[in-house]
Amino acid sequence: MIESQENSKNNRQEYRKQVDELGKKEFTLIKMQEYGFWPKNLPTPYEKQENETKEQYLERKNLTKEYEKIIKAITDLYDEKDEINAKLRDLNKKYNETWDYEKIRQDVSKAIMEESIARRKERKEKRELEKKQKNEAWQKEKADRIVFIGRGYSGLLYDKENNEEKLLNQGLPVIKDDKALADFLGIEYKKLRFLVYHRDVVLVDHYNRYTIPKKKGGERNIAAPKLILKNVQRKILEEILSKIQVSDYTHGFLKGKSVVSGAKSHIADKASGENTALLINMDLEDFFPTITFERVRGMFKAFGYSGYISSLLAMLCTYCERMPIEVKGKVKYVKTSDKILPQGSPASPMITNIICVKLDKRLSGLSSKYNCVYTRYADDMSFSFMEEGSALNLGKFMGFISKIVNEEGFNINKNKTRFLRKNNRQSITGVVINNDEIGVSKKWIKTLRAAIYNANKLKNSGEKISQKTINEISGMISWIRSVNEKRYANIIESGMNLINT
């Protein structure tokens, strides 16, 4: 007996030694072959795994997962069976010597009800705890970073990955998160949170709003950002927007370009000194309001910024129209539009130029096919033809323009489309191009001469010229000087003599 126990102990020690050396799986396989449970001429599972294809591997993994699910289900059933048997034994022991089935039924029903109540209570407490923990985690996350910027604007805040290589190639700053954005803009983090959060109704508006009359009737809504937001937008303009290449065909809001440079483009090829045969001026309808928050966010995302940073930058560069309403003695500003590009922001003009790059490219390509010159100043587009031959199909040409403009997300204001031929005064954004040199309208010059004459007359009579009149004349002189100083040298000199004496 003692010898048998000793042999068994030695066998166990020998088995452990082999398991340690070979590994449990290899040892088990050897023993299976030794006892005839696995034929020696059949490939082992390890050999199969080494030679299996990718498809066989995936199939084996899927079968393994299904097998594990079945094993778990069987284990759960056995556990449930054991629990039921234990309860049956307890009931059998408790009611072994009684024949009062009504009492048994009542006791069992009571026990089931108590267990059910206890389970519901436990589940309720668990849900409340989970809810509390989730709320605490959410509050902590809200305190640590911006997680919501307003209904309808927070859809891409989950996207946190910048395309750093793309940003660096364009010379743009890499901004990883909201705190880095606040540092970049030079403002406090809590101020950034305040500026980017949209509310439909607010007590404090970030913009000074007013209207200015349009030249041809109506009013233009202007929203000028208040100081802190204005500085933020200027920083975005200088450090991000100004580094983006824009079209050569746009002449608005760019260093070295103006309405004058745009007008000059349409007389550059006048070697013969002849007037332009046909000038077409067109206007993009509701230009700034057409550029929405989504388009601005998409622009920043195209630079390489994450959806998160793009959303925050777009919130800083857009606004919504609001109307003041007095409620219980307090003035509140209520949203009347979705977020759009404001006229009055230092960043808005450059944003329009960037968003219109593809529009300019397509229209300039169309113009090349039709042998005409194309320029754009903000929402004013001009097309000039040196020759208006019979081959020019204006209807077809205008149809192509309309199609391109609509596809790029804009609309043409048909009421402002003008076809100006040689016998018309041909002007682009107030600059006349009929002659071989640019100028302003005769009516405009006549108005300036009259203003200077009346001011001199007033001065010679001993009366003081009002500052308003001085400013108006000074502004008009600055304008004609920028258009063609040489051509208007005499009237400029006359006006300057009046202003300086």
Side-chain angles (χ1 to χ4, degrees), residues 147-417:
V147 295
F148 185 71
I149 53 178
R151 188 181 303 167
Y153 303 108
S154 305
L156 291 184
L157 293 183
Y158 68 89
D159 174 17
K160 304 292 180 57
E161 292 298 320
N162 285 322
N163 186 336
E164 293 193 13
E165 183 179 356
K166 191 173 183 180
L167 291 170
L168 293 173
N169 287 340
Q170 297 173 95
L172 299 178
V174 176
I175 306 170
K176 294 188 176 180
D177 55 29
D178 50 355
K179 291 184 175 62
L181 178 59
D183 290 340
F184 166 73
L185 296 173
I187 59 174
E188 294 180 0
Y189 179 62
K190 63 179 181 180
K191 179 60 70 174
L192 174 66
R193 296 179 72 109
F194 178 60
L195 290 175
V196 300
Y197 184 58
H198 166 78
R199 302 166 182 82
D200 288 349
V201 181
V202 297
L203 289 172
V204 179
D205 195 0
H206 298 312
Y207 288 82
N208 294 311
R209 301 165 190 269
Y210 55 93
T211 59
I212 58 174
K214 294 182 179 180
K215 289 182 179 179
K216 298 182 179 180
E219 292 183 329
R220 190 183 304 277
N221 292 323
I222 302 296
K226 294 179 180 177
L227 184 59
I228 294 177
L229 181 56
K230 185 176 182 179
N231 290 337
V232 163
Q233 291 172 347
R234 186 173 285 115
K235 181 77 171 181
I236 294 171
L237 169 65
E238 292 171 354
E239 299 297 330
I240 298 177
L241 301 174
S242 62
K243 296 180 180 180
I244 302 299
Q245 183 68 39
V246 298
S247 162
D248 292 333
Y249 302 93
T250 180
H251 291 264
F253 322 109
L254 294 170
K255 188 176 181 180
K257 289 192 173 185
S258 64
V259 292
V260 175
S261 65
K264 283 182 176 179
S265 299
H266 293 270
I267 64 170
D269 295 328
K270 284 187 174 182
S272 63
E274 295 182 1
N275 291 339
T276 299
L278 174 65
L279 173 67
I280 304 173
N281 287 331
M282 307 178 75
D283 181 85
L284 296 175
E285 190 174 33
D286 295 328
F287 185 51
F288 280 79
T290 305
I291 300 176
T292 61
F293 165 85
E294 288 76 16
R295 297 182 75 174
V296 177
R297 178 175 63 184
M299 177 196 71
F300 283 113
K301 197 157 178 17
F303 295 167
Y305 288 110
S306 66
Y308 185 77
I309 295 301
S310 297
S311 297
L312 300 184
L313 289 171
M315 291 299 281
L316 294 169
C317 292
T318 57
Y319 87 126
C320 60
E321 294 283 1
R322 295 185 184 273
M323 63 181 296
I325 294 179
E326 188 172 328
V327 181
K328 296 181 180 179
K330 287 186 177 181
V331 176
K332 295 186 177 182
Y333 300 90
V334 181
K335 160 193 165 182
T336 59
S337 76
D338 291 330
K339 287 182 77 68
I340 54 177
L341 204 61
Q343 296 188 60
S345 161
S348 291
M350 194 60 181
I351 289 175
T352 65
N353 285 338
I354 294 169
I355 286 180
C356 288
V357 164
K358 189 177 177 183
L359 172 71
D360 291 336
K361 183 178 180 181
R362 294 182 68 183
L363 289 178
S364 64
L366 176 68
S367 299
S368 296
K369 290 180 181 178
Y370 278 82
N371 196 27
C372 72
V373 176
Y374 161 73
T375 61
R376 181 181 59 81
Y377 185 91
D379 56 349
D380 294 317
M381 302 184 301
S382 298
F383 302 83
S384 64
F385 295 83
M386 301 313 296
E387 296 180 2
E388 188 184 357
S390 58
L392 176 61
N393 186 330
L394 267 182
K396 188 176 180 180
F397 178 71
M398 296 299 291
F400 282 138
I401 293 175
S402 182
K403 182 175 184 293
I404 291 171
V405 168
N406 290 337
E407 287 176 351
E408 294 304 319
F410 298 99
N411 295 299
I412 293 173
N413 187 340
K414 294 180 180 178
N415 294 327
K416 292 187 177 181
T417 299

Side-chain angles (χ1 to χ4, degrees), residues 6 64 83 89 102 125 191 212 238 259 308 317 354 382 391 396 421 429 449 454 495:
E6 187 66 27
T64 302
E83 187 178 344
R89 284 194 298 271
E102 181 61 26
E125 291 174 349
K191 179 60 70 174
I212 58 174
E238 292 171 354
V259 292
Y308 185 77
C317 292
I354 294 169
S382 298
K396 188 176 180 180
R421 291 179 169 81
T429 54
R449 288 188 190 279
N454 291 330

Side-chain angles (χ1 to χ4, degrees), residues 95-150:
Y95 300 106
N96 189 36
E97 297 179 356
T98 181
W99 293 93
D100 189 349
Y101 295 115
E102 181 61 26
K103 183 178 184 303
I104 294 173
R105 187 191 66 77
Q106 290 177 356
D107 287 352
V108 170
S109 297
K110 183 179 178 183
I112 291 173
M113 181 61 71
E114 289 174 349
E115 288 180 5
S116 177
I117 291 171
R119 282 197 299 272
R120 286 201 298 270
K121 182 181 178 183
E122 183 181 354
R123 285 197 296 268
K124 183 180 178 182
E125 291 174 349
K126 185 179 179 181
R127 283 197 302 270
E128 288 176 348
L129 179 61
E130 289 174 349
K131 185 178 179 181
K132 182 181 178 184
Q133 291 173 340
K134 188 176 180 180
N135 183 58
E136 288 174 351
W138 174 248
Q139 294 300 327
K140 185 177 184 302
E141 188 175 9
K142 281 173 65 177
D144 289 343
R145 68 179 185 89
I146 297 170
V147 295
F148 185 71
I149 53 178

